[in-house]
Amino acid sequence: MNVVTKQGQLRIIGGEWRSRKLTILDAEGLRPTPDRVRETLFNWLAPYIEGASVLDLFAGSGALSLEALSRGASHATLLDVNVSVINHLKKQIQLLNCQKATLLNQSALLFLDQPVARTFDLVFLDPPFGKAMLEPCCKLLVNNKWLTDDAWVYTESELSPSQLVMPRDWTAYREKKAGQVYYTLWRTR
């Protein structure tokens, strides 16, 4: 169980909730995606975000999903194993009066290993570092058919994209490094 220690802030960069500041919990292992990384990512995704169905497998601060919803995504499903983080996200989503988000207090690997209820156009995959969860999640996304035909998968990792064993049909569309984090947008077809 992660221990919650204090709160920080998250600023939504664009869209309906542009410049809104929300509180985030400072929980063990939580690494909110910085503003400049989110800005770069959503510039990459600009033509694809409107109407997208989003899956955020390690939601944490919710920064990526909230940004996607603010910019026109149709729905986001956010998962996190820390119940305190999920409860806090629920309050933030209520503050935004958002009806387009589903929160699940569940392990990403267990979620992906069940029958598919819906497919997703965009997946955010930012697992805890050093836990070897990125590649198994990607494998389950493909093998269990969680992705639409034209899906995008965004990853954050301590390893460079060339060091990862990703599904055969995926290609790194865009990639950058910020500090010790490699972030990559993958084309899945």
Side-chain angles (χ1 to χ4, degrees):
M1 178 90 177
N2 293 335
V3 177
V4 176
T5 57
K6 63 181 180 176
Q7 292 184 339
Q9 276 198 330
L10 161 71
R11 180 179 64 91
I12 297 177
I13 298 167
E16 177 183 356
W17 304 316
R18 182 185 182 127
S19 298
R20 288 285 301 265
K21 290 184 180 177
L22 302 172
T23 60
I24 55 172
L25 293 177
D26 185 10
E28 182 182 334
L30 190 74
R31 293 175 288 100
T33 303
D35 286 4
R36 69 182 165 91
V37 172
R38 275 187 289 126
E39 187 169 12
T40 298
L41 169 62
F42 283 93
N43 285 338
W44 294 345
L45 287 171
Y48 313 106
I49 200 71
E50 184 71 34
S53 178
V54 175
L55 176 61
D56 193 344
L57 290 167
F58 299 89
S61 69
L64 296 172
S65 290
L66 293 175
E67 191 74 44
L69 289 169
S70 180
R71 293 172 183 247
S74 65
H75 184 269
T77 300
L78 295 83
L79 282 75
D80 204 283
V81 295
N82 185 328
V83 70
S84 297
V85 169
I86 289 293
N87 288 337
H88 188 77
L89 279 171
K90 187 180 296 182
K91 292 175 188 172
Q92 299 307 300
I93 287 169
Q94 288 170 346
L95 283 173
L96 294 169
N97 195 27
C98 176
Q99 308 298 316
K100 303 184 293 182
T102 301
L103 297 171
L104 300 174
N105 180 216
Q106 188 173 8
S107 153
L109 290 171
L110 290 176
F111 176 83
L112 293 173
D113 203 27
Q114 65 186 348
V116 174
R118 71 186 305 167
T119 56
F120 296 93
D121 303 304
L122 175 59
V123 177
F124 297 126
L125 192 47
D126 180 13
F129 286 0
K131 304 279 187 193
M133 297 180 81
L134 182 65
E135 292 167 353
C137 284
C138 292
K139 185 176 179 180
L140 287 169
L141 281 168
V142 171
N143 290 348
N144 292 346
K145 300 182 180 8
W146 284 98
L147 304 172
T148 61
D149 289 339
D150 294 323
W152 296 91
V153 176
Y154 169 77
T155 61
E156 290 185 17
S157 174
E158 71 276 25
L159 300 174
S160 71
S162 64
Q163 293 176 291
L164 299 171
V165 179
M166 300 304 270
R168 181 175 46 89
D169 294 338
W170 291 17
T171 55
Y173 176 73
R174 298 264 200 268
E175 61 184 83
K176 284 197 170 203
K177 183 178 181 192
Q180 299 302 309
V181 178
Y182 293 91
Y183 59 103
T184 310
L185 184 60
W186 300 88
R187 189 70 167 142
T188 64
R189 61 177 171 114

